[in-house]
């Protein structure tokens, strides 16, 4: 601020004073609103004689959760944890499957074959414009519940039983040393990652081709097979078998879980397909033309030139879709799957205090969102072009 | 010696070049370009034929559309009292007239061109045809035909509006919508609690879009503000509402709004609470989208505006916002389409909108246990599909008209 002679700028015209004044007024108004809201909240809670603390978390639940070992005498806090675990389970499997299907359909939309293009286009356009809740309820009411009952259920390839009580898929069964084998598999994964990094360093140092996929997969397979033999065949496949009214063996995806999974995967895969297609088309045509001029085949062009660049563009919108899938799992409330939102609703129905319970639920969802956002930020930063 | 060019006979016109491929060449390049191509064509062709056959057979032969036929009024208007339905027709006619007038003012020199009109309005026309075919009495069919004629007439009238008056026509559209709303709710027992079906879905969608857009723009400006308090408050709001599912927000709105009002006051009705939840949720997403647009406006624009002496507010309103908003039209309309589809989630707080109707009618005594979920859900999905597809096509037209991505 220049000072001309003896006159200084008046107080009300100084930017610093004006900004400070505006902020004080804004904060004052905000605090006044919060004070009023909090006051109403507390007086309303007091009038309806609900507690204002979180003691409800340790009280017995009074309801059971199907398909789990939760009994009604355990605490509400544990019920919420079971719900969160169900949410995570459906979200992780859903993300993996949706990415797989979505990438396939996205690439199919760019195929040279007109039929494949149109079929993929029809799938994407029909599922993108329909609400996800409709898709989920459709899969539940009109698909899974219409499957034949267990007595007349079909068995596909001798391994998968499809009925309206659930879908049974084969799994692994402990036959001796399954925990040790589990640790061996974990060790094999770590070794595969280490081999990947090592081969990358070898390439940087000496220029010999890294062929990282072959080395990593080879290391994983070698260690796993070795552990399998050394531990004396610790696990064996367990195929689902019908035994009267029940299914023995295998893993049973119960009706609600299967419907929720199919609905979420079908819907999210259509969005992921659009993202993949858009990011492949965003790689400039000159790159493809140069690759073809250099004599690369179509497959090499996709794998070495187009897809790595498309991958970089894909990551933020893909992360958004993963977040959406995690949040859309809360729609299971409409079909009765006991995930987090439904359990909190039941708890509130059983007279847990609503504001605190909703606060807990929102905190859990916020932590899921922040975790996914943080993970994708890390991947994003590693893929950025160094400036 | 040849004549001067001006006196020579003009050359005969050359026949136009054939663009595109002949049918045989098209098949060769698109279907049978290699052994793998042939295999894919055969496999996908068989699969597509099977799917199409089952779908057509379901829709036209084996489905029992009686459940939709008998409950068509429920699907469209919910539990609205029958004797007041004339209000709906009047309100609908008002809205159709003002929208058609606006379409007429924008039609330029194009008179009634069937092909252009068909290309623009075919999703709505398809919807009208399907609904008319499901009606059991003649009255709805006559009503729809009358509305179509009214639309064409109003469009012709719109072309007669003098050019100077055309800037006020959007105001006329808003006035028409509000007038229609008033016509409906001014009857006895026709308040929002009796609305349902597609009517409620449209009310939530249009109201949600109209209110969440200014709120989102304000939040985006607040997030970019240089005042730390304003920015912190905006960031907290945006991150909170983007991190939780919409079902949670609706749940919160339905249960907690009553807790936050003074103890002896009446909480707003459930429809308004659902609308508040939808608006607060969507505003956070709009804020993030508009923030991306604001970041894309070059700094030179702001500096030039300041050099010309425009105050901060004037700069934002006249220079920054128009460019920012235009560049994010695709993402914004995508968010509005999501809002339209997400109105289905208010079914989880027991509002009787389109999806809830589809689920409830299968429990009627006449249709219980017949497994008619596919029919009702397909009808509801079709209605949503028409709305969302039409909105995305309108967005593409708007983008090309405003030159998004080219300027």
């Amino acid at each position: 601020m220049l000072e001309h002679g003896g006159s200084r700028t008046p107080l009300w015209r100084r930017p610093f004073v004006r900004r400070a004044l505006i902020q004080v007024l804004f904060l004052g108004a905000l605090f006044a609103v919060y004070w009023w809201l909090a006051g109403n909240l507390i007086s309303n809670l007091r009038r309806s004689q609900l507690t204002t603390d979180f003691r409800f978390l340790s009280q017995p639940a009074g309801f059971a959760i199907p398909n789990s070992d939760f009994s009604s005498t355990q605490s509400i806090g544990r019920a919420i944890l079971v719900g969160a675990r169900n949410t995570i389970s459906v979200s992780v499997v859903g993300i993996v499957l949706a990415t797989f299907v979505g990438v396939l359909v996205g690439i199919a939309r760019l195929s040279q074959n007109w039929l494949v293009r149109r079929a993929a286009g029809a799938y994407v356009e029909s599922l993108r414009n329909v609400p996800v809740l409709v898709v989920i309820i459709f899969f539940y009411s009109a698909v899974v519940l219409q499957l034949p009952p267990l007595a007349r259920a079909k068995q596909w390839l001798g391994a998968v039983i499809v009925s309206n009580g659930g879908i049974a898929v084969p799994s692994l069964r402990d036959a001796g040393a399954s925990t040790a084998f589990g640790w061996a598999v974990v060790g094999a994964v770590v070794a595969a990652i280490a081999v990947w990094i090592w081969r990358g360093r070898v390439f940087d140092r000496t220029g010999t081709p890294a062929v990282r996929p072959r080395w990593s997969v080879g290391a994983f397979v070698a260690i796993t097979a070795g552990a399998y033999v050394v531990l004396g065949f610790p696990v064996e496949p367990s195929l689902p078998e019908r035994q009267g009214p029940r299914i023995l063996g295998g893993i049973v995806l119960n009706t609600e879980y299967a419907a929720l999974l199919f609905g979420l995967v079908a819907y999210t895969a259509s969005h992921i397909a659009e993202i993949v297609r858009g990011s492949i088309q965003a790689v400039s045509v000159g790159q493809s033309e140069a690759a073809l001029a250099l004599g690369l085949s179509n497959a090499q062009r996709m794998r070495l030139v187009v897809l790595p660049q498309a991958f970089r563009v894909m990551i933020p919108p893909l992360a958004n879709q993963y977040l959406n899938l995690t949040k859309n799992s809360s729609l299971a409330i409409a079909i009765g799957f006991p995930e987090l939102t439904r359990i909190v609703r039941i708890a509130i129905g059983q007279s847990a205090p609503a504001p605190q319970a909703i606060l807990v639920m929102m905190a859990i969802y916020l932590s899921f969102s922040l975790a996914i956002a943080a993970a994708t930020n890390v991947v994003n930063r590693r893929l950025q072009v160094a400036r | 010696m040849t004549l001067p060019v001006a006196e020579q006979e003009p050359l005969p016109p050359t026949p136009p070049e054939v663009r595109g491929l002949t049918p045989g060449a098209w098949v060769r390049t698109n279907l049978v370009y290699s052994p793998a191509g042939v295999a894919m064509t055969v496999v996908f062709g068989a699969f597509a034929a099977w799917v199409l056959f089952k779908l057509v057979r379901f829709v036209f032969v084996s489905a029992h559309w009686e459940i939709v036929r008998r409950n068509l009024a429920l699907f469209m208007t919910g539990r609205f009292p029958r004797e007041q339905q004339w209000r709906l027709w009047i309100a609908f006619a008002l809205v159709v007239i003002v929208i058609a007038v606006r379409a007429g003012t924008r039609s330029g020199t194009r008179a009634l061109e069937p092909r252009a009109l068909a290309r623009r309005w075919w999703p709505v026309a398809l919807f009208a045809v399907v609904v008319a075919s499901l009606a059991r009495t003649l009255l709805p069919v006559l009503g729809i035909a009358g509305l179509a004629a009214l639309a064409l007439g109003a469009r012709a009238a719109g072309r007669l509006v003098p050019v100077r008056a055309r800037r006020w026509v959007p105001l006329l559209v808003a006035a028409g919508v509000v007038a229609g709303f008033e016509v409906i709710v001014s009857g006895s027992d026709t308040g929002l609690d009796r609305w349902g079906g597609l009517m409620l879905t449209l009310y939530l969608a249009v109201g949600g879009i109209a209110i969440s857009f200014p709120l989102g723009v304000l939040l985006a400006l607040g997030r970019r503000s240089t005042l730390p308090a304003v920015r912190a408050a905006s960031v907290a709001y945006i991150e909170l509402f983007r991190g939780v599912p919409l079902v949670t927000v609706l749940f919160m709105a339905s249960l907690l709004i009553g807790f936050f009002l003074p103890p002896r006051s009446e909480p707003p009705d459930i429809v308004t609470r659902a609308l508040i939840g939808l608006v607060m949720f969507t505003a956070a997403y709009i804020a993030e989208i508009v923030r991306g647009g604001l970041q894309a406006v070059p700094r030179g624009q702001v500096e030039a505006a300041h050099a010309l002496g425009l105050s901060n507010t004037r700069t934002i309103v006249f220079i920054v916002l128009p460019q920012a908003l235009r560049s994010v039209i695709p993402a914004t309309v995508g968010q509005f389409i999501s809002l339209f589809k997400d109105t289905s989630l208010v079914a989880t707080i027991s509002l009787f909108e389109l999806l809830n109707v589809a689920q409830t009618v299968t429990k009627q005594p006449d249709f219980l246990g017949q497994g008619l979920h596919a029919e009702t859900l397909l009808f509801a999905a079709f209605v949503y599909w028409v709305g969302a597809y039409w909105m995305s096509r309108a967005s593409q037209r708007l983008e090309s008209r405003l030159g998004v991505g080219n300027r």
Side-chain angles (χ1 to χ4, degrees), chain A residues 126-127 129-131 134-135 138, chain B residues 75 340-341 354-355 358 374-388:
Chain A
S126 55
L127 278 188
N129 291 321
V130 172
V134 172
V135 176
F138 183 82
Chain B
F75 273 103
F340 171 67
K341 293 188 301 173
L354 186 59
L355 181 59
E375 282 84 347
T376 56
L377 285 173
L378 268 180
F379 181 69
F382 170 71
V383 177
Y384 281 116
W385 187 89
V386 165

Side-chain angles (χ1 to χ4, degrees), chain A residues 142-153:
Chain A
V143 174
V144 177
L145 280 186
Q146 307 292 336
L147 290 172
L150 189 52
R152 289 183 284 138

Side-chain angles (χ1 to χ4, degrees), chain A residues 286-343:
Chain A
Q287 300 278 319
S288 293
E289 292 175 346
L292 289 174
L294 283 174
L296 297 179
S297 75
N298 256 339
Q300 282 174 321
R301 175 178 61 94
M302 282 299 267
R303 190 167 57 95
L304 297 170
V305 177
V306 176
L307 280 183
Q309 298 185 64
F311 210 57
R312 200 175 294 138
V313 177
M314 250 192 261
I315 297 288
L318 217 57
N320 213 17
Q321 287 306 318
Y322 293 162
L323 273 174
N324 282 347
L325 190 146
T326 309
K327 289 188 279 182
N328 283 339
S329 68
S330 61
L331 294 174
I333 192 170
I335 59 173
F337 178 66
E339 49 77 54
L340 183 57
T341 309
R342 183 168 160 84
I343 297 221

